[in-house]
Amino acid sequence: MGNVEPQVAPPAAAPPQLTDGFHLVIDALKLNGIDTIFGLPGIPITDLARMAQGAGLRVISFRHEQNAGYAASIAGFITGKPGICLTVSAPGFLNGLTALANATTNCFPMILMSGSSEREIVDLQQGDYEEMDQLAIARPLAKAAFRVLHAEDIGVGVARAIRAAVSGRPGGVYLDLPAKLFAQTMDAEAGRRSLIAVVDPAPRQIPAPEAVGRALALLRSAQRPLIVLGKGAAYARADADIRALVERTGIPYLPMSMAKGLLPDTHEQSAAAARSYVLPEADVVMLVGARLNWLLSHGKGKTWGARDAKGWGGQKFIQIDISPQEADSNVRIDAPVVGDIGSCVAALLAGIGADWPKPPAGWLAAIAERKAKNIAKMAETLAKNPSPMSFHSALAVVRDIVRENPRAYLVNEGANALDFTRAIVDMYQPRKRLDVGTWGVMGIGMGFSVAAAVVSGEQVIAVEGDSAFGFSGMEVETICRYNLPVCVVVLNNNGVYRGTDVNPAGGPDVAPTVFVKDARYEKLMEAFGGVGAYATTRAELRAAMETAIRTRRPTLVNAIIDETAGTESGRITSLNPSAKQKQA
């Protein structure tokens, strides 16, 4: 017998490379330029947060999901990309819902991603851990809501969420991720091919030429024109064209709160110091990314010099908005211009030539006269130095600090703290003032502050009423944990609105609006390694703020305000039912 060649077994096939739901979610986000997640870890998304951090995403963990949601929403406003909030199921999801609804109302691009129970258990109501039909609950509060059941659909789910959040009028989107999804595996290459890099997620929407012509004709005919800039104009990032539109036409402008700084508040055409005069007296008002909602008295009533039975004044309105449904929402819009703000403003500019007539001198002179009078009156008030401090004297310090540090973000919430700050503190750069916005929701302060510091790296100054601070105060630990350059100024007057209310029944309980007297809020920051300061004078407040900005250390300044200072509900006292009854 001859020699028999030994049989050599063929090489074993390499095991297939697999990926799973965890990595597909992370890869889908990274593919679309998402680099930061705000959230709070727990079952079933703890490992997702760990893996995201391991994959190079920045994962900012909060103490409460609502604050993480606020952070995600304002990150969306600042960056123009959807901010991501990651929560656990049921209670964590519910905590994030307020922020989701606020994002939708304010037109902030945000995606709330929550782990959830399995569909088959939820539908049969079998009592799973934190069982809840989250998609059904989120849908009425979000611009869009999606659920992903299969790993191969993760790419589609993330892409649809991103496109929904930023296209057209931005808003909040909910993305439901059942726990079973994360453990699903599939071929790694097939998984890679299933992901989608969203192309042109917020396409330009060009206005109709006839709409632009109609608006220009109406604006040219105006004898007392006014431009109102809303936060939509700030979000549009059409800063140079908006400034050119204002300056080329010579029309006075009024910035809404989060549009402050789109042009410097000190600009000669700003009519902010004559607001109560220009609104009722203007004959043609052009709204640029601003809505005629409660913040503008719905375009009617005494604010607008009502002259008929419906409370409508004699103004004609031009409205630039990406949503055609916004026109006529409260009053007749004579010249709607539908499209994205940048395209609309560019189209208007193209029709404004060198022969464009400046507004009548009498209109400009009347505004200038009232501005000068009101600015002088405000300066006189701000120059006072009472003890204890008033809102005005404390905010005079903040005004000077912001002027000296125009790149700093200013976060602001409260009742009186909000109203006085908006009126006193000038802004010099766009998208630097972040506040309660359209919904007037309380509690945005620390979430907004964390997000602004994280996504920009810039100094943040948060001016908080003592009541407003209570909604998110525990997040000072988050500020310290990530060593963020945030200086929180708590305007402390011992209560909601003021600290002097009494129990009408004379019992042992304090009035519902009264807090612990002389609360030492600065100790909370010190407890987590930050810097606390107690300021009873303007000099002490300035010194503490200057040190915070120089060192970039987490700082909380407890600024003691006269407890008799403040009015109920600030400038929206008229919305209080008892106030309305008194007026009747």
Side-chain angles (χ1 to χ4, degrees):
M1 297 178 58
N3 292 332
V4 177
E5 292 291 329
Q7 298 295 312
V8 178
Q17 295 295 308
L18 299 178
T19 188
D20 58 25
F22 289 111
H23 291 92
L24 287 170
V25 171
I26 294 165
D27 291 346
L29 294 174
K30 292 180 67 176
L31 183 63
N32 284 284
I34 304 297
D35 56 13
T36 304
I37 294 174
F38 304 94
L40 200 158
I43 294 173
I45 51 87
T46 310
D47 286 340
L48 179 61
R50 291 191 183 109
M51 292 178 187
Q53 188 177 58
L57 291 173
R58 193 167 189 193
V59 181
I60 306 298
S61 180
F62 283 73
R63 303 301 292 264
H64 195 285
E65 291 91 351
Q66 189 174 111
N67 302 317
Y70 288 142
S73 68
I74 207 64
F77 174 79
I78 295 170
T79 66
K81 299 187 298 184
I84 307 296
C85 177
L86 180 64
T87 80
V88 301
S89 50
F93 157 77
L94 290 174
N95 286 342
L97 269 188
T98 302
L100 180 70
N102 189 58
T104 302
T105 304
N106 273 296
C107 309
F108 297 152
M110 167 194 170
I111 301 172
L112 174 64
M113 300 195 316
S114 296
S116 66
S117 298
E118 313 310 337
R119 185 74 245 169
E120 60 272 21
I121 296 176
V122 171
D123 287 348
L124 283 174
Q125 300 178 23
Q126 293 181 313
D128 195 19
Y129 171 72
E130 295 187 350
E131 175 190 307
M132 178 175 285
D133 191 351
Q134 296 170 196
L135 187 73
I137 293 169
R139 188 167 276 132
L141 302 175
K143 183 183 176 186
F146 308 102
R147 177 185 287 121
V148 181
L149 295 177
H150 305 291
E152 60 265 31
D153 293 329
I154 287 173
V156 172
V158 171
R160 294 203 71 189
I162 290 171
R163 193 175 292 278
V166 300
S167 63
R169 174 173 282 178
V173 175
Y174 176 62
L175 188 60
D176 192 81
L177 304 175
K180 192 162 62 176
L181 174 73
F182 298 120
Q184 292 180 25
T185 60
M186 64 182 295
D187 178 77
E189 177 58 23
R192 185 191 66 78
R193 291 196 305 268
S194 73
L195 302 183
I196 297 173
V198 181
V199 177
D200 196 14
R204 294 176 63 198
Q205 296 188 25
I206 311 300
E210 60 269 24
V212 174
R214 185 187 305 118
L216 287 171
L218 182 55
L219 199 61
R220 181 184 282 271
S221 70
Q223 293 301 300
R224 298 182 304 281
L226 177 68
I227 295 173
V228 177
L229 302 175
K231 68 175 177 293
Y235 177 79
R237 291 162 180 76
D239 307 342
D241 278 357
I242 289 173
R243 181 164 188 157
L245 177 67
V246 170
E247 294 181 340
R248 204 177 291 177
T249 61
I251 296 174
Y253 73 93
L254 182 68
M256 300 300 290
S257 185
M258 285 182 62
K260 285 167 65 69
L262 198 51
L263 287 82
D265 281 340
T266 51
H267 194 285
E268 63 178 0
Q269 286 174 246
S270 173
R275 176 189 174 106
S276 61
Y277 173 73
V278 295
L279 290 178
E281 293 299 326
D283 63 348
V284 174
V285 179
M286 182 162 71
L287 304 162
V288 183
R291 291 176 278 183
L292 284 174
N293 54 26
W294 70 275
L295 291 165
L296 283 169
S297 302
H298 307 284
K300 51 194 172 184
K302 292 180 180 178
T303 299
W304 293 90
R307 298 181 181 90
D308 66 14
K310 290 185 178 180
W312 293 18
Q315 294 85 6
K316 291 184 180 297
F317 288 98
I318 302 165
Q319 184 161 26
I320 302 174
D321 201 284
I322 201 165
S323 172
Q325 293 179 323
E326 187 59 41
D328 307 323
S329 59
N330 277 293
V331 298
R332 178 182 60 254
I333 300 301
D334 302 274
V337 183
V338 177
D340 68 274
I341 301 295
S343 296
C344 291
V345 171
L348 289 169
L349 272 176
I352 296 173
D355 63 339
W356 187 267
K358 296 297 182 184
W363 173 235
L364 301 181
I367 295 172
E369 178 184 352
R370 284 160 178 82
K371 274 182 61 178
K373 180 180 178 181
N374 291 337
I375 290 172
K377 185 177 179 181
M378 176 66 79
E380 183 179 334
T381 303
L382 295 178
K384 296 177 182 177
N385 191 13
S387 181
M389 290 185 287
S390 66
F391 283 103
H392 285 88
S393 64
L395 289 170
V397 174
V398 177
R399 177 200 59 180
D400 294 345
I401 293 288
V402 170
R403 184 178 61 238
E404 295 157 13
N405 300 274
R407 291 174 59 91
Y409 283 86
L410 178 67
V411 175
N412 186 208
E413 65 173 331
N416 294 281
L418 174 71
D419 297 336
F420 285 121
T421 304
R422 181 171 48 219
I424 292 170
V425 179
D426 290 330
M427 304 303 296
Y428 303 90
Q429 296 183 9
R431 293 171 295 281
K432 293 293 189 177
R433 179 180 167 83
L434 312 173
D435 66 28
V436 300
T438 307
W439 232 18
V441 67
M442 200 79 78
I444 53 89
M446 298 304 97
F448 278 20
S449 296
V450 169
V454 165
V455 302
S456 74
E458 300 284 0
Q459 177 69 46
V460 177
I461 299 168
V463 177
E464 302 273 311
D466 50 353
S467 175
F469 176 70
F471 284 76
S472 62
M474 191 62 185
E475 299 300 346
V476 299
E477 188 273 334
T478 306
I479 293 170
C480 289
R481 191 177 352 132
Y482 294 101
N483 194 30
L484 300 175
V486 176
C487 175
V488 182
V489 178
V490 177
L491 299 178
N492 181 3
N493 66 347
N494 293 335
V496 181
Y497 313 131
R498 54 184 172 267
T500 54
D501 287 355
V502 296
N503 183 339
D509 293 340
V510 299
T513 56
V514 171
F515 297 152
V516 169
K517 300 292 186 183
D518 197 26
R520 300 300 297 266
Y521 294 108
E522 78 280 7
K523 300 296 183 183
L524 185 61
M525 184 66 89
E526 292 175 359
F528 299 112
V531 176
Y534 185 81
T536 60
T537 67
R538 292 205 301 192
E540 291 171 344
L541 176 57
R542 169 173 272 280
M545 293 186 70
E546 287 178 339
T547 299
I549 291 170
R550 184 179 68 255
T551 63
R552 291 175 59 86
R553 290 196 62 193
T555 301
L556 190 151
V557 185
N558 187 6
I560 306 305
I561 305 295
D562 185 350
E563 71 172 359
T564 66
T567 59
E568 185 150 339
S569 302
R571 79 176 176 87
I572 59 172
T573 299
S574 60
L575 301 183
N576 189 324
S578 61
K580 290 183 177 180
Q581 187 178 29
K582 291 174 184 176
Q583 290 172 0

